Each structure stands twice: as C-alpha cells, then as structure tokens.
Amino acid sequence: RLSRQLRRSEVILERANRLSSLGTLAGGIAHEIRNPLVAVKTFLDLLPERLNDKDFLVNFRNLSLSELRRVTDLITDLLSLGKTTAAGRRVVALGATLEPVMRLMESTAHKREVTLVEQLEPGLPPVLADADQLKQIALNLILNAIEVSPPGTSVGLVVRRGTEEVGPQVVVLEVSDQGPGIPHEQLDDIFLPFFTTKDTGTGLGLAMVHQMVVAHGGQITVDSVLGSGTTFRVTLPAAHTELANTGT
C-alpha cells in the first residue's frame, strides 16, 4: 500500500511540475501567437476594400497561411510536451527529439533578451528513452537557465558524445547559463523536492528532472561558480548497437 501511495504521489508531483513548466512556457510564447493573428486580422479587415487587388489578395493570403502554419507548429510542439508520459521506451535520436523544445524556447528567450546557442555533435549514437520525458528534462533545464540569465547573455545547449574511456557509451546533454550561479552550500539540495531559490515556484522542477534521468539509467550533475553561471550535465547511456540497428 505504501508503494502504491508513493507512486501515486510521484505521478501527482510530475503532473504539477509539468503544468508549472507549461504555464511558464505558455506565457513566453503568447506574443509569438498574437503577432501572426494580428497579421491575419489585418488581412481580413482590409479584404472587403481590396477584393479587386489581385496582388494584395495573393501576397496577404500567402502571408496569412504562413503565419497560421507557424501558430499551428507552435501549438503542436506545446501539446507534445503536455502529453502523459508512456511507460514504454524506444530508440530515439537526442538531437532531433529536442528540436521542438528549442523552437519553443526561442520566443521565451527572446522576450527576456537572452540568446539561445545550440551545439549538436554530428553522428551521435541514439538513446533508449521516453521521448516525452527527454523533452521535459530539457524544457525544465532550459527554462531555469533562461529565468536566471541577465539580459544580453546567452544560454547554451550542447549535445555531445561522452568522453568516458571505459564502460558503456554515453550521450551528454549540457545546459549552461551566465547567471549569478548557485551557492556551494545549496548544490547538495537543489534536486530535493520543494527546494527552490526562486521567489515563486514549486521547487519540483529539478526534483522531477533528477527522477526521470535516474529512471533512464543516467546521471545529472551540476557545476556552478558564483557570478559566472551554472552548467547542468545529463549523461544518458546510449542504446545497444543491436537495438539502434533494428530501431526497436
């Protein structure tokens, strides 16, 4: 019974964290949806007066369709992050899986005058993972990095091959910021549930990230220097060669 109650609590915590992240993200991309809708509204407002203007009709129609496709893509990416995670895992390419997250984060970063810098090492081995949980891990880490970054600085996402000389092959995901850093005495506590250094927040984000990384057989570490920034490093085991070749 205690085990079932613990699992139920974990599910509740995960849902609460997911809703908190999506709420922050929704606020960040609101203007990205509003601007295309303004363009479409302008076209519809002018349409009755310009019905005989063929160039106007063609150009603004194409512009409106392009803007609506952009909104649709944003909503699709957002909804993909809100899906309930499935128990099953499959072979996934980490770089391609994180692309929707990076697209969504661009608007949030732009709003805060922060630049996103992405570096994906080519030819990386795939990982055996739940793709939705990988997106949630990256979403939380990048959101945190953006929120602590001063205007004019950058947040970096690096996906690379692990440098371990022995043991199984690994893929590494690093998220770095140029924020104020984390005090040394708090580094041991940042992955604890409900621990937060923010004025607002649930303190669940990093706890859930840690739980999902460990569930994937990976590790998460943090390096931080006061006044210089912080780097979160997620290390995930690569999929076995036979799995990667069969795509199962």
Side-chain angles (χ1 to χ4, degrees):
R1 185 171 64 253
L2 289 175
S3 176
R4 289 196 300 270
Q5 290 175 347
L6 177 60
R7 177 55 188 156
R8 193 177 302 117
S9 298
E10 291 175 347
V11 171
I12 293 173
L13 288 176
E14 182 174 351
R15 289 174 180 171
N17 172 62
R18 187 179 295 272
L19 289 173
S20 174
S21 299
L22 290 177
T24 302
L25 180 59
I29 68 171
H31 72 285
E32 290 293 323
I33 294 178
R34 185 182 300 113
N35 290 341
L37 293 182
V38 168
V40 175
K41 181 180 183 298
T42 300
F43 170 62
L44 294 176
D45 287 342
L46 295 175
L47 183 59
E49 304 172 8
R50 309 287 291 274
L51 286 175
N52 296 323
D53 188 338
K54 184 176 180 181
D55 289 339
F56 169 83
L57 292 178
V58 172
N59 292 335
F60 264 80
R61 175 184 178 275
N62 292 338
L63 174 63
S64 297
L65 289 175
S66 175
E67 294 295 277
L68 288 175
R69 278 193 295 269
R70 186 152 67 94
V71 171
T72 301
D73 290 342
L74 281 170
I75 293 174
T76 299
D77 291 339
L78 186 61
L79 290 176
S80 71
L81 295 172
K83 293 189 299 185
T84 302
T85 57
R89 296 175 184 171
R90 58 185 178 84
V91 174
V92 296
L94 192 56
T97 300
L98 299 184
E99 279 301 321
V101 177
M102 292 300 292
R103 289 199 301 268
L104 288 171
M105 289 293 95
E106 286 176 356
S107 59
T108 302
H110 178 73
K111 183 178 179 181
R112 294 176 176 265
E113 300 180 33
V114 174
T115 302
L116 284 185
V117 180
E118 182 181 15
Q119 294 181 338
L120 302 179
E121 180 180 330
L124 288 173
V127 296
L128 184 64
D130 183 311
D132 289 334
Q133 288 194 351
L134 291 182
K135 293 175 185 177
Q136 188 68 26
I137 290 169
L139 173 66
N140 276 276
L141 295 180
I142 297 173
L143 266 178
N144 284 346
I146 292 174
E147 289 177 349
V148 301
S149 296
T153 61
S154 62
V155 168
L157 170 68
V158 176
V159 183
R160 60 176 175 82
R161 195 184 306 268
T163 57
E164 286 77 358
E165 297 181 357
V166 296
Q169 198 172 26
V170 296
V171 178
V172 178
L173 181 155
E174 292 177 340
V175 177
S176 303
D177 64 64
Q178 298 173 319
I182 303 171
H184 179 74
E185 61 272 16
Q186 294 181 355
L187 290 177
D188 291 336
D189 299 327
I190 58 175
F191 296 116
L192 296 177
F194 305 109
F195 178 85
T196 180
T197 59
K198 302 177 184 177
D199 294 333
T200 60
T202 62
L204 299 176
L206 288 177
M208 295 307 305
V209 166
H210 180 271
Q211 177 180 310
M212 288 185 282
V213 170
V214 171
H216 279 79
Q219 294 180 331
I220 181 169
T221 58
V222 57
D223 296 321
S224 189
V225 178
L226 284 179
S228 297
T230 302
T231 297
F232 284 90
R233 185 173 296 106
V234 175
T235 303
L236 297 171
H240 295 306
T241 303
E242 59 272 17
L243 291 176
N245 291 335
T246 59
T248 58

